[in-house]
């Protein structure tokens, strides 16, 4: 029996027609895919002005803006202007950018994993779409909890150009076929409840809260410790790469709040990193928290607000929460 024909993304988007704001969401995701193909081609060819330059400005999070950060931001902003998106909130823009008429707002990390650009490790783009509402102040638009997202997903610029996407009815993966220049359905994600791997930046251990130290010690003690089984450790340094691995085979990713002033609320930004990843993870049967509470319930405060983040296999995220209750 031949393999079922892989449904095109276009057909998947057409199915949204009857959904509230479905046509607008479909047009916006289609515009995002065209921008992603451009960014992926640029990375692959190494043609953006000096991919490895680092002497550029800092962004609102105080992080160095690399030329590819800026190129990706310009490319996705241009895409948002062709879509029914009225407000564009980006890691690389201090303030929300009015992007034309339309009922949607977009929060975006145009290039995730910037520290990996010059190492050819997979990087990506993370996006979140929700109703712009009629708030006169664009900044008001972004004071929304993650449960108000209408769609979220991320592109991975690796050996494959992939799109992970959810509209709240499961999480699917699409793969770009460069010959046909179209995205086709690649997989439906279901995260195993039991984790075999954890994903943390262990160099930050001395900054971690007590509960996090006790939890990770238990994992590192493996079969000889309280967990009575061995675990593996994987950390890519690109949230999209760690997130996709966990969507594929389970595990737990943790970037906790730590003692450093700049990371008192962790490192990852709620609106354009944590919320969209959490939406995709939950829709694949996993869990996402601020290491203690469900992440999607937490109202953000500002566009660049940071939040501690843990996500992955549901059972493991719950074990972490028991260690973190007192924090
Ligand atoms: P970005 O490149 O968009 O600023 O995001 C980088 C993030 C995320 O991709 C990754 O999980 C995390 O930074 C890695 O942080 P550390 O280098 O501190 O571990
Ligand atoms: Mn950054
Ligand atoms: Mn990022
Ligand atoms: Mn980024």
């Amino acid at each position: 029996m031949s393999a079922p024909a892989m449904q095109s993304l276009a057909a998947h988007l057409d199915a949204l027609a009857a959904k509230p704001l479905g046509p607008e969401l479909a047009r916006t995701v289609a515009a995002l895919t065209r921008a992603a193909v451009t960014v992926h081609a640029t990375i692959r060819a190494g043609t953006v002005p000096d991919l490895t330059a680092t002497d550029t400005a800092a962004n609102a999070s105080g992080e160095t803006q690399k030329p590819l950060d800026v190129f990706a931001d310009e490319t996705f902003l241009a895409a948002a202007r062709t879509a029914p998106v009225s407000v564009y909130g980006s890691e690389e823009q201090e303030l929300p950018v009015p992007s034309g008429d339309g009922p949607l707002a977009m929060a975006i990390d145009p290039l995730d994993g910037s520290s990996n650009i010059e190492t050819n490790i997979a990087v990506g783009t993370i996006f979140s779409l929700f109703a712009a509402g009629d708030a006169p102040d664009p900044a008001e638009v972004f004071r929304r909890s993650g449960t108000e997202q209408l769609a979220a997903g991320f592109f991975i610029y690796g050996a494959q150009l992939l799109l992970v996407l959810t509209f709240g009815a499961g999480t699917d993966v699409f793969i770009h076929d460069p010959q046909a220049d179209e995205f086709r359905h690649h997989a439906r994600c279901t995260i195993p409840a039991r984790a075999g791997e954890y994903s943390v930046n262990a160099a930050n251990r001395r900054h971690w809260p007590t509960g996090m130290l006790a939890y990770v010690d238990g994992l590192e003690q493996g079969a000889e410790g309280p967990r009575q089984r061995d675990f593996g450790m994987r950390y890519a340094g690109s949230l999209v790469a760690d997130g996709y691995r966990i969507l594929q085979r389970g595990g737990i990713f943790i970037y906790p709040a730590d003692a450093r002033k700049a990371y008192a609320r962790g490192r990852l930004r709620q609106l354009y990193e944590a919320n969209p990843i959490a939406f995709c993870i939950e829709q694949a049967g996993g869990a996402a928290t601020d290491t203690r509470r469900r992440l999607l319930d937490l109202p953000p405060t500002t566009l660049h607000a940071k939040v501690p983040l843990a996500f992955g296999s549901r059972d493991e995220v719950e074990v972490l929460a028991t260690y973190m209750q007192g924090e």
Side-chain angles (χ1 to χ4, degrees), residues 59 63 69 91-92 109 111-115 201 204 235 237-240 242 253 255 260 263 267-269 273:
N59 65 17
E63 295 179 351
D69 283 317
E91 177 193 351
E92 308 307 339
D109 177 356
L111 204 286
D112 174 69
S114 305
S115 65
N201 182 339
N204 298 334
Y235 190 74
S238 293
L239 184 58
V240 292
D242 287 318
F253 173 97
Y255 209 111
R260 290 169 292 176
Y263 293 161
R267 168 167 187 174
L268 299 169
R269 283 60 53 109
E273 288 174 312

Side-chain angles (χ1 to χ4, degrees), residues 72-83:
D73 186 48
E74 290 166 352
T75 305
F76 281 100
L77 175 52
R81 292 194 194 285
T82 68

Side-chain angles (χ1 to χ4, degrees), residues 6-9 173-177 180 182-186:
M6 290 194 295
Q7 185 190 49
S8 71
L9 173 62
V173 184
F174 297 85
I175 185 168
H176 183 247
D177 172 345
E182 76 167 358
F183 281 83
R184 294 202 186 108
H185 193 264
H186 185 58

Side-chain angles (χ1 to χ4, degrees), residues 43 140 145 209 213 238:
I43 293 170
E140 277 302 314
S145 72
L213 281 170
S238 293

